[in-house]
Amino acid sequence: MWYRVAKASQYLVITGSGIEDIKLAKKAWILPGQSCTIFDVSPVNYTFNVQAMSAEKLAFRLPAVFTIGPRVEDKESLLKYAKLLSPHDRLSEDVKDLVQGIIEGETRVLAASMTMEDIFKGSKDFKKEVFEKVQIELNQFGLLIYNANIKQLVDVPGHEYFSYLSQNIQTEAANQAKIDVAEAKMKGEIGAKLREGQTLQNAAKINAETKIVSTQREGEGKKEEIKVSTDVKIFANKREADLAEANAELATKKAGWAQRAQMAEVESAKAVAIRAAELQREVERKNAMTQTEKLKADFLCKASVDYEIKVQEANSELYNKQKSAEATFFEKEKEVEGQRLAAEASLYARKQAADGELYAKKKEAEGLVALAEAQGTYIRTLLEALGGNYAALRDYLMINGGMFQEVAKINAEAIRGLQPKISIWTNGTGGEVADGGAAMKEVAAVYRALPPLFKTVQEQTGMSPPPWMGSLTNSDSQ
């Protein structure tokens, strides 16, 4: 009897008397009639180069490194490993062949059900599928995949799928980079025009606000009369700002159209250059074929050579006609495209002009509405100040508007040159004022002239004199 202790990464496997099957332990007394072996449970790296074939029958190699070891947290898995694999060394060919066979088999089955494109683009999902399929098979041996690192797929000699795919991706990336550069330049030019337009808008806005503040400060002492003038000035400044904004937007649109036209010209020039290069390549190929036929003519009979030359000339003429027709068609197509773009630009310009005219009419209508509202506010304010007396408001407006002066002027114009007879009313029979003297005669004359003046004003305007000045009767007109 002796006492055995396993290391940190080891287990004791005990069999014999007193043990029904096997016993796993880290330390134990080994009794007579019992046997004890030690196995290591630390994981081991296995490197494989699996060769598989996709659903399109394209062969490829899959370099992979699997870190595999016993499942130490599961007692049943440890028992399976102890029974089946513990007698073998972990790095022995038997264990390696077992693991490699499982990995290669599952990888080939999975790859055969997928296309090469799916395997290449979905490498993460492919790795996950392989990992899960292999783990299911390893469970029956008590093994666990601690880590699986699948490297980049590699072409099998004679099959250059991935190299061609890489070249295609590089070409697409280069073309995309050129496109990105062109778009960046386009955005830069558009941004510059946009900033210029915003600068003009902000300048117009600042000028408008400055004029508004200046007008408001100058009109602080003019009250309601200046307020109407200030509102009109504000409206004019707003129209100037709107006009500046419309001009900026139009400038931005023009820049976009110019850029599109330049892009179309560049694309057309490049397409012509590409077609010229293709034609040049065909010419070179034809020249090479001609040289070959010339060499053949040295060894063949003249009749055969003449026949071949005639055939090649006919083919060359047909090819030239076809290419000429294609070039003509390409030019016509570009010309039609240019006409379409010009028509679209003209239509957009007409639409913008119509929108501008509509906007101007709208702003003019808004100005009339604002003016009417200001006049209404002005009249309501005067009416409130006069205590709601409509007659007093009418008199004030007529006096402030110079109505009486206009009436007197019109009356004077009407009787000019007619030499009217003027009657003078007196309070006495002789036209003299007793005890008044000459000075009172003038005062009496003024008061005698008032009744006919009030009567004339009443007849022409419908206004009666204020109560404190008296009232008109029918006798006043006599």
Side-chain angles (χ1 to χ4, degrees):
M1 184 175 62
W2 70 96
Y3 189 71
R4 298 294 299 271
V5 178
K7 295 181 180 179
S9 61
Q10 294 177 343
Y11 273 89
L12 301 177
V13 181
I14 306 171
T15 59
S17 61
I19 299 174
E20 182 178 356
D21 187 7
I22 64 174
K23 177 183 177 182
L24 298 178
K26 297 292 287 184
K27 56 186 177 179
W29 286 97
I30 309 302
L31 303 177
Q34 294 181 348
S35 175
C36 176
T37 58
I38 300 176
F39 68 91
D40 200 334
V41 296
S42 58
V44 178
N45 290 331
Y46 298 95
T47 302
F48 307 106
N49 198 2
V50 182
Q51 184 169 341
M53 186 175 294
S54 67
E56 305 99 336
K57 302 299 186 295
L58 295 175
F60 64 94
R61 288 185 299 181
L62 182 67
V65 178
F66 282 78
T67 303
I68 301 174
R71 191 189 295 269
V72 295
E73 72 276 4
D74 188 6
K75 186 175 181 180
E76 291 185 1
S77 297
L78 275 177
L79 290 173
K80 289 180 182 180
Y81 180 79
K83 291 178 181 180
L84 300 176
L85 298 178
S86 62
H88 302 280
D89 184 73
R90 294 179 304 155
L91 300 177
S92 65
E93 291 297 327
D94 295 333
V95 178
K96 185 175 181 181
D97 291 343
L98 173 65
V99 175
Q100 184 175 0
I102 295 174
I103 294 174
E104 289 183 351
E106 296 298 331
T107 302
R108 288 171 182 167
V109 171
L110 182 60
S113 64
M114 300 176 65
T115 63
M116 186 64 77
E117 189 72 16
D118 295 336
I119 296 173
F120 185 76
K121 290 186 177 180
S123 57
K124 184 176 180 181
D125 296 334
F126 181 72
K127 173 184 174 181
K128 182 179 179 181
E129 290 286 338
V130 172
F131 185 91
E132 292 176 352
K133 297 290 185 182
V134 173
Q135 182 60 61
I136 293 174
E137 295 297 326
L138 292 178
N139 286 337
Q140 58 186 334
F141 297 99
L143 294 174
L144 174 67
I145 301 176
Y146 285 91
N147 184 38
N149 184 14
I150 297 178
K151 301 180 181 179
Q152 185 66 36
L153 302 179
V154 181
D155 286 319
V156 175
H159 299 79
E160 286 76 18
Y161 174 81
F162 293 114
S163 61
Y164 289 151
L165 185 61
S166 177
Q167 293 176 8
N168 184 28
I169 293 174
Q170 291 177 2
T171 303
E172 290 180 356
N175 293 334
Q176 185 62 37
K178 294 179 181 179
I179 294 173
D180 293 340
V181 171
E183 289 183 353
K185 291 182 179 179
M186 177 184 68
K187 291 179 180 179
E189 294 178 0
I190 293 176
K193 293 295 183 181
L194 182 60
R195 291 296 183 186
E196 183 178 354
Q198 291 177 350
T199 301
L200 294 175
Q201 294 177 12
N202 293 334
K205 183 177 180 181
I206 293 173
N207 291 334
E209 293 177 352
T210 303
K211 291 180 180 181
I212 292 172
V213 173
S214 177
T215 305
Q216 288 177 347
R217 289 182 177 178
E218 290 178 357
E220 288 178 356
K222 297 182 180 180
K223 295 183 180 180
E224 296 298 332
E225 182 179 1
I226 275 310
K227 182 178 180 181
V228 176
S229 176
T230 303
D231 291 338
V232 173
K233 191 66 177 178
I234 292 173
F235 175 73
N237 293 334
K238 186 176 181 181
R239 290 194 61 185
E240 291 178 2
D242 294 338
L243 181 60
E245 182 179 359
N247 292 333
E249 184 177 359
L250 180 59
T252 303
K253 296 293 183 180
K254 287 183 178 179
W257 298 333
Q259 183 179 9
R260 291 180 182 175
Q262 292 178 358
M263 290 291 291
E265 292 177 359
V266 171
E267 291 178 356
S268 177
K270 288 186 177 180
V272 172
I274 291 172
R275 176 55 65 183
E278 291 178 354
L279 294 175
Q280 183 65 28
R281 184 180 64 184
E282 292 295 329
V283 171
E284 295 296 336
R285 188 173 66 84
K286 293 296 182 181
N287 291 334
M289 292 176 64
T290 303
Q291 294 295 331
T292 302
E293 295 300 326
K294 184 178 180 181
L295 293 175
K296 289 171 61 179
D298 296 335
F299 301 94
L300 300 176
C301 63
K302 188 175 183 302
S304 177
V305 171
D306 291 339
Y307 172 75
E308 293 292 337
I309 290 175
K310 293 297 183 181
V311 171
Q312 293 298 330
E313 288 179 353
N315 292 335
S316 177
E317 184 177 358
L318 176 61
Y319 178 79
N320 291 333
K321 290 181 178 180
Q322 290 177 348
K323 294 302 178 182
S324 177
E326 290 178 359
T328 303
F329 175 75
F330 181 78
E331 291 177 357
K332 292 295 184 181
E333 185 179 9
K334 288 298 180 181
E335 183 177 356
V336 171
E337 181 67 17
Q339 292 176 358
R340 184 181 66 80
L341 293 176
E344 290 180 356
S346 177
L347 177 61
Y348 183 81
R350 293 178 181 177
K351 183 179 179 182
Q352 289 297 107
D355 292 342
E357 184 176 357
L358 176 62
Y359 183 78
K361 294 293 184 182
K362 182 178 178 181
K363 289 298 181 181
E364 183 177 358
E366 291 178 356
L368 294 176
V369 172
L371 180 60
E373 291 179 354
Q375 291 177 348
T377 302
Y378 174 67
I379 293 174
R380 283 197 301 270
T381 304
L382 290 177
L383 188 60
E384 291 176 358
L386 295 173
N389 190 342
Y390 173 75
L393 174 63
R394 181 190 60 190
D395 296 344
Y396 173 78
L397 291 176
M398 294 183 68
I399 293 172
N400 191 37
M403 177 63 72
F404 293 110
Q405 291 86 339
E406 290 295 327
V407 170
K409 183 177 179 181
I410 292 172
N411 291 334
E413 291 292 336
I415 64 175
R416 177 184 295 178
L418 297 180
Q419 297 180 356
K421 295 181 179 181
I422 300 174
S423 300
I424 299 176
W425 286 265
T426 61
N427 293 330
T429 56
E432 295 180 356
V433 179
D435 302 329
M440 296 303 295
K441 290 181 180 181
E442 298 296 333
V443 177
V446 171
Y447 277 96
R448 286 195 297 270
L450 286 177
L453 175 62
F454 288 153
K455 186 65 177 179
T456 302
V457 171
Q458 183 184 26
E459 292 176 351
Q460 295 183 358
T461 64
M463 293 179 59
S464 299
W468 55 271
M469 295 185 68
S471 58
L472 296 176
T473 61
N474 293 333
S475 62
D476 294 331
S477 59
Q478 296 178 357

